[in-house]
Short mmCIF file of all heavy atoms in Angstrom, two decimals:
data_model
loop_
_atom_site.label_atom_id
_atom_site.label_comp_id
_atom_site.label_asym_id
_atom_site.label_seq_id
_atom_site.Cartn_x
_atom_site.Cartn_y
_atom_site.Cartn_z
N GLU I 269 -30.75 -17.51 -23.09
CA GLU I 269 -31.28 -16.25 -23.63
C GLU I 269 -30.34 -15.07 -23.37
O GLU I 269 -30.45 -14.03 -24.01
CB GLU I 269 -32.66 -15.96 -23.01
CG GLU I 269 -33.75 -16.91 -23.49
CD GLU I 269 -35.12 -16.53 -22.95
OE1 GLU I 269 -35.22 -15.50 -22.28
OE2 GLU I 269 -36.08 -17.28 -23.21
N LEU I 270 -29.42 -15.24 -22.40
CA LEU I 270 -28.46 -14.18 -22.10
C LEU I 270 -27.25 -14.19 -23.02
O LEU I 270 -26.40 -13.31 -22.93
CB LEU I 270 -27.99 -14.31 -20.65
CG LEU I 270 -29.04 -14.06 -19.56
CD1 LEU I 270 -28.46 -14.29 -18.19
CD2 LEU I 270 -29.61 -12.64 -19.68
N LEU I 271 -27.17 -15.18 -23.90
CA LEU I 271 -26.06 -15.24 -24.84
C LEU I 271 -26.08 -13.98 -25.71
O LEU I 271 -27.10 -13.61 -26.27
CB LEU I 271 -26.20 -16.50 -25.73
CG LEU I 271 -24.99 -16.84 -26.60
CD1 LEU I 271 -23.79 -17.20 -25.74
CD2 LEU I 271 -25.33 -18.01 -27.53
N ASN I 272 -24.94 -13.31 -25.78
CA ASN I 272 -24.80 -12.03 -26.49
C ASN I 272 -25.64 -10.91 -25.88
O ASN I 272 -25.91 -9.89 -26.53
CB ASN I 272 -25.16 -12.18 -27.99
CG ASN I 272 -24.27 -13.19 -28.68
OD1 ASN I 272 -23.06 -13.24 -28.42
ND2 ASN I 272 -24.85 -14.00 -29.55
N ASN I 273 -26.08 -11.09 -24.63
CA ASN I 273 -26.86 -10.04 -23.97
C ASN I 273 -26.46 -9.92 -22.50
O ASN I 273 -27.29 -9.75 -21.63
CB ASN I 273 -28.36 -10.33 -24.09
CG ASN I 273 -29.21 -9.13 -23.71
OD1 ASN I 273 -28.80 -7.99 -23.89
ND2 ASN I 273 -30.38 -9.39 -23.16
N LEU I 274 -25.17 -10.06 -22.23
CA LEU I 274 -24.66 -9.97 -20.85
C LEU I 274 -24.27 -8.51 -20.59
O LEU I 274 -23.13 -8.11 -20.78
CB LEU I 274 -23.46 -10.90 -20.66
CG LEU I 274 -23.78 -12.40 -20.78
CD1 LEU I 274 -22.50 -13.22 -20.83
CD2 LEU I 274 -24.66 -12.85 -19.61
N ARG I 275 -25.26 -7.72 -20.18
CA ARG I 275 -25.04 -6.29 -19.99
C ARG I 275 -25.43 -5.88 -18.58
O ARG I 275 -26.42 -6.36 -18.03
CB ARG I 275 -25.88 -5.49 -21.00
CG ARG I 275 -25.52 -5.76 -22.45
CD ARG I 275 -26.35 -4.91 -23.39
NE ARG I 275 -27.77 -5.24 -23.28
CZ ARG I 275 -28.75 -4.47 -23.74
NH1 ARG I 275 -28.45 -3.33 -24.34
NH2 ARG I 275 -30.01 -4.83 -23.64
N ALA I 276 -24.64 -5.00 -18.01
CA ALA I 276 -24.92 -4.48 -16.67
C ALA I 276 -24.53 -3.01 -16.61
O ALA I 276 -23.71 -2.54 -17.40
CB ALA I 276 -24.17 -5.28 -15.61
N ILE I 277 -25.11 -2.31 -15.65
CA ILE I 277 -24.74 -0.91 -15.44
C ILE I 277 -24.52 -0.71 -13.94
O ILE I 277 -25.37 -1.06 -13.12
CB ILE I 277 -25.82 0.05 -15.99
CG1 ILE I 277 -25.38 1.50 -15.80
CG2 ILE I 277 -27.18 -0.19 -15.40
CD1 ILE I 277 -26.17 2.50 -16.61
N PHE I 278 -23.33 -0.21 -13.60
CA PHE I 278 -23.00 0.08 -12.20
C PHE I 278 -23.40 1.53 -11.93
O PHE I 278 -22.83 2.45 -12.51
CB PHE I 278 -21.50 -0.13 -11.96
CG PHE I 278 -21.07 -1.56 -12.11
CD1 PHE I 278 -20.54 -2.02 -13.31
CD2 PHE I 278 -21.20 -2.46 -11.07
CE1 PHE I 278 -20.15 -3.34 -13.47
CE2 PHE I 278 -20.81 -3.78 -11.21
CZ PHE I 278 -20.28 -4.23 -12.41
N THR I 279 -24.40 1.71 -11.06
CA THR I 279 -25.00 3.04 -10.88
C THR I 279 -24.58 3.68 -9.56
O THR I 279 -23.87 3.08 -8.75
CB THR I 279 -26.53 2.95 -10.92
OG1 THR I 279 -26.96 2.13 -9.81
CG2 THR I 279 -27.03 2.34 -12.20
N ASP I 280 -25.09 4.90 -9.35
CA ASP I 280 -24.93 5.66 -8.09
C ASP I 280 -23.50 6.11 -7.83
O ASP I 280 -23.16 6.45 -6.69
CB ASP I 280 -25.43 4.86 -6.87
CG ASP I 280 -26.88 4.44 -7.00
OD1 ASP I 280 -27.61 5.14 -7.70
OD2 ASP I 280 -27.26 3.41 -6.41
N LEU I 281 -22.63 6.08 -8.84
CA LEU I 281 -21.25 6.53 -8.63
C LEU I 281 -21.23 8.05 -8.55
O LEU I 281 -21.74 8.73 -9.44
CB LEU I 281 -20.35 6.06 -9.78
CG LEU I 281 -20.29 4.54 -10.01
CD1 LEU I 281 -19.45 4.23 -11.25
CD2 LEU I 281 -19.74 3.82 -8.79
N GLY I 282 -20.67 8.57 -7.47
CA GLY I 282 -20.61 10.01 -7.29
C GLY I 282 -19.27 10.59 -7.72
O GLY I 282 -18.36 9.86 -8.14
N SER I 283 -19.13 11.90 -7.60
CA SER I 283 -17.88 12.55 -8.00
C SER I 283 -16.71 12.05 -7.16
O SER I 283 -15.58 11.94 -7.64
CB SER I 283 -18.02 14.07 -7.88
OG SER I 283 -18.44 14.42 -6.57
N LYS I 284 -16.98 11.70 -5.88
CA LYS I 284 -15.92 11.18 -5.02
C LYS I 284 -15.41 9.83 -5.54
O LYS I 284 -14.23 9.52 -5.45
CB LYS I 284 -16.43 11.02 -3.59
CG LYS I 284 -16.64 12.34 -2.87
CD LYS I 284 -17.12 12.12 -1.45
CE LYS I 284 -17.37 13.44 -0.74
NZ LYS I 284 -17.91 13.23 0.63
N ASP I 285 -16.34 9.03 -6.07
CA ASP I 285 -15.93 7.72 -6.61
C ASP I 285 -15.03 7.88 -7.82
O ASP I 285 -14.08 7.12 -8.01
CB ASP I 285 -17.16 6.88 -6.97
CG ASP I 285 -18.01 6.54 -5.76
OD1 ASP I 285 -17.44 6.02 -4.78
OD2 ASP I 285 -19.22 6.82 -5.78
N LEU I 286 -15.32 8.89 -8.65
CA LEU I 286 -14.51 9.11 -9.85
C LEU I 286 -13.16 9.73 -9.50
O LEU I 286 -12.23 9.70 -10.31
CB LEU I 286 -15.26 10.01 -10.84
CG LEU I 286 -16.63 9.53 -11.31
CD1 LEU I 286 -17.09 10.34 -12.51
CD2 LEU I 286 -16.64 8.05 -11.67
N LYS I 287 -13.06 10.30 -8.31
CA LYS I 287 -11.79 10.91 -7.88
C LYS I 287 -10.90 9.93 -7.11
O LYS I 287 -9.82 10.30 -6.65
CB LYS I 287 -12.07 12.13 -7.00
CG LYS I 287 -12.65 13.31 -7.77
CD LYS I 287 -13.02 14.45 -6.83
CE LYS I 287 -13.68 15.59 -7.61
NZ LYS I 287 -14.17 16.65 -6.70
N ARG I 288 -11.35 8.68 -6.96
CA ARG I 288 -10.52 7.68 -6.28
C ARG I 288 -9.19 7.55 -7.03
O ARG I 288 -9.15 7.63 -8.26
CB ARG I 288 -11.22 6.33 -6.23
CG ARG I 288 -12.46 6.31 -5.33
CD ARG I 288 -13.17 4.98 -5.42
NE ARG I 288 -14.45 4.99 -4.73
CZ ARG I 288 -14.62 4.63 -3.46
NH1 ARG I 288 -13.59 4.19 -2.76
NH2 ARG I 288 -15.81 4.68 -2.90
N GLU I 289 -8.14 7.32 -6.28
CA GLU I 289 -6.81 7.25 -6.89
C GLU I 289 -6.75 6.17 -7.96
O GLU I 289 -6.22 6.36 -9.05
CB GLU I 289 -5.75 6.98 -5.81
CG GLU I 289 -4.32 7.07 -6.33
CD GLU I 289 -3.29 6.86 -5.24
OE1 GLU I 289 -3.66 6.89 -4.05
OE2 GLU I 289 -2.12 6.67 -5.58
N ARG I 290 -7.32 4.99 -7.65
CA ARG I 290 -7.42 3.92 -8.64
C ARG I 290 -8.75 3.19 -8.46
O ARG I 290 -9.25 3.08 -7.35
CB ARG I 290 -6.26 2.93 -8.51
CG ARG I 290 -4.92 3.49 -8.96
CD ARG I 290 -3.92 2.37 -9.26
NE ARG I 290 -3.67 1.53 -8.10
CZ ARG I 290 -3.04 0.35 -8.17
NH1 ARG I 290 -2.61 -0.11 -9.32
NH2 ARG I 290 -2.82 -0.35 -7.06
N LEU I 291 -9.28 2.68 -9.55
CA LEU I 291 -10.51 1.91 -9.52
C LEU I 291 -10.38 0.74 -10.48
O LEU I 291 -9.89 0.90 -11.60
CB LEU I 291 -11.71 2.79 -9.92
CG LEU I 291 -13.10 2.24 -9.63
CD1 LEU I 291 -13.31 2.02 -8.13
CD2 LEU I 291 -14.18 3.18 -10.15
N PHE I 292 -10.79 -0.44 -10.04
CA PHE I 292 -10.65 -1.66 -10.85
C PHE I 292 -12.00 -2.32 -11.06
O PHE I 292 -12.91 -2.23 -10.21
CB PHE I 292 -9.72 -2.67 -10.14
CG PHE I 292 -8.25 -2.39 -10.32
CD1 PHE I 292 -7.63 -1.36 -9.64
CD2 PHE I 292 -7.48 -3.15 -11.19
CE1 PHE I 292 -6.29 -1.10 -9.80
CE2 PHE I 292 -6.13 -2.90 -11.37
CZ PHE I 292 -5.53 -1.87 -10.68
N LEU I 293 -12.13 -2.99 -12.20
CA LEU I 293 -13.22 -3.93 -12.43
C LEU I 293 -12.65 -5.30 -12.12
O LEU I 293 -11.62 -5.70 -12.69
CB LEU I 293 -13.69 -3.87 -13.89
CG LEU I 293 -14.73 -4.92 -14.30
CD1 LEU I 293 -16.07 -4.66 -13.62
CD2 LEU I 293 -14.92 -4.94 -15.82
N VAL I 294 -13.26 -6.03 -11.17
CA VAL I 294 -12.75 -7.34 -10.79
C VAL I 294 -13.83 -8.39 -11.00
O VAL I 294 -15.02 -8.10 -10.96
CB VAL I 294 -12.27 -7.38 -9.32
CG1 VAL I 294 -11.20 -6.33 -9.08
CG2 VAL I 294 -13.42 -7.17 -8.35
N CYS I 295 -13.37 -9.61 -11.24
CA CYS I 295 -14.30 -10.73 -11.38
C CYS I 295 -13.77 -11.90 -10.56
O CYS I 295 -12.60 -12.29 -10.71
CB CYS I 295 -14.47 -11.14 -12.84
SG CYS I 295 -15.59 -12.56 -13.03
N GLN I 296 -14.61 -12.44 -9.69
CA GLN I 296 -14.26 -13.65 -8.95
C GLN I 296 -14.93 -14.83 -9.64
O GLN I 296 -16.13 -14.79 -9.91
CB GLN I 296 -14.75 -13.55 -7.50
CG GLN I 296 -14.16 -12.37 -6.75
CD GLN I 296 -14.71 -12.25 -5.35
OE1 GLN I 296 -14.48 -13.10 -4.50
NE2 GLN I 296 -15.46 -11.18 -5.09
N ILE I 297 -14.15 -15.84 -9.95
CA ILE I 297 -14.66 -17.03 -10.65
C ILE I 297 -14.75 -18.16 -9.63
O ILE I 297 -13.72 -18.59 -9.07
CB ILE I 297 -13.75 -17.42 -11.82
CG1 ILE I 297 -13.57 -16.23 -12.76
CG2 ILE I 297 -14.33 -18.62 -12.57
CD1 ILE I 297 -12.45 -16.40 -13.77
N ILE I 298 -15.96 -18.61 -9.37
CA ILE I 298 -16.20 -19.65 -8.38
C ILE I 298 -16.72 -20.89 -9.09
O ILE I 298 -17.75 -20.85 -9.77
CB ILE I 298 -17.21 -19.17 -7.32
CG1 ILE I 298 -16.63 -17.96 -6.58
CG2 ILE I 298 -17.55 -20.29 -6.34
CD1 ILE I 298 -17.63 -17.24 -5.71
N ARG I 299 -15.98 -21.98 -8.93
CA ARG I 299 -16.39 -23.26 -9.53
C ARG I 299 -17.43 -23.92 -8.63
O ARG I 299 -17.33 -23.87 -7.40
CB ARG I 299 -15.15 -24.14 -9.69
CG ARG I 299 -15.40 -25.53 -10.22
CD ARG I 299 -14.09 -26.26 -10.46
NE ARG I 299 -13.27 -26.40 -9.26
CZ ARG I 299 -13.47 -27.34 -8.33
NH1 ARG I 299 -14.46 -28.19 -8.44
NH2 ARG I 299 -12.66 -27.40 -7.28
N VAL I 300 -18.45 -24.52 -9.23
CA VAL I 300 -19.50 -25.19 -8.46
C VAL I 300 -19.49 -26.68 -8.84
O VAL I 300 -19.84 -27.04 -9.96
CB VAL I 300 -20.89 -24.58 -8.73
CG1 VAL I 300 -21.95 -25.27 -7.88
CG2 VAL I 300 -20.88 -23.09 -8.46
N GLY I 301 -19.05 -27.54 -7.90
CA GLY I 301 -18.98 -28.97 -8.20
C GLY I 301 -18.24 -29.74 -7.14
O GLY I 301 -18.52 -29.63 -5.94
N ARG I 302 -17.21 -30.50 -7.57
CA ARG I 302 -16.45 -31.35 -6.64
C ARG I 302 -15.48 -30.55 -5.78
O ARG I 302 -15.17 -29.41 -6.10
CB ARG I 302 -15.64 -32.37 -7.45
CG ARG I 302 -16.47 -33.37 -8.23
CD ARG I 302 -15.63 -34.07 -9.29
NE ARG I 302 -15.42 -33.21 -10.46
CZ ARG I 302 -14.61 -33.51 -11.46
NH1 ARG I 302 -13.90 -34.63 -11.42
NH2 ARG I 302 -14.48 -32.70 -12.48
N MET I 303 -14.98 -31.19 -4.73
CA MET I 303 -13.97 -30.56 -3.89
C MET I 303 -12.69 -30.35 -4.68
O MET I 303 -12.07 -29.29 -4.64
CB MET I 303 -13.70 -31.43 -2.65
CG MET I 303 -12.69 -30.82 -1.69
SD MET I 303 -13.32 -29.38 -0.82
CE MET I 303 -14.41 -30.18 0.36
N ASP I 304 -12.28 -31.38 -5.44
CA ASP I 304 -11.03 -31.32 -6.20
C ASP I 304 -11.31 -31.78 -7.63
O ASP I 304 -11.83 -32.88 -7.84
CB ASP I 304 -9.97 -32.21 -5.55
CG ASP I 304 -8.57 -31.97 -6.13
OD1 ASP I 304 -8.49 -31.45 -7.27
OD2 ASP I 304 -7.60 -32.30 -5.45
N LEU I 305 -10.96 -30.95 -8.60
CA LEU I 305 -11.20 -31.30 -10.00
C LEU I 305 -10.41 -32.51 -10.45
O LEU I 305 -10.78 -33.21 -11.40
CB LEU I 305 -10.84 -30.10 -10.90
CG LEU I 305 -11.96 -29.11 -11.21
CD1 LEU I 305 -11.39 -27.92 -11.97
CD2 LEU I 305 -13.07 -29.76 -12.01
N ARG I 306 -9.29 -32.78 -9.76
CA ARG I 306 -8.43 -33.90 -10.16
C ARG I 306 -9.03 -35.25 -9.77
O ARG I 306 -8.62 -36.28 -10.29
CB ARG I 306 -7.05 -33.75 -9.53
CG ARG I 306 -6.25 -32.55 -10.08
CD ARG I 306 -5.04 -32.24 -9.25
NE ARG I 306 -5.41 -31.81 -7.90
CZ ARG I 306 -4.54 -31.39 -6.99
NH1 ARG I 306 -3.25 -31.35 -7.28
NH2 ARG I 306 -4.94 -31.01 -5.79
#
Side-chain angles (χ1 to χ4, degrees):
E269 290 184 4
L270 293 177
L271 190 65
N272 300 321
N273 193 30
L274 295 169
R275 298 182 297 164
I277 182 165
F278 294 95
T279 63
D280 303 333
L281 302 176
S283 55
K284 289 181 182 177
D285 296 308
L286 303 193
K287 290 175 184 175
R288 292 175 188 267
E289 188 177 347
R290 289 199 300 167
L291 194 61
F292 279 75
L293 174 68
V294 303
C295 179
Q296 301 177 66
I297 305 167
I298 298 168
R299 176 174 60 80
V300 182
R302 295 164 282 172
M303 182 70 75
D304 192 338
L305 270 174
R306 293 167 295 184

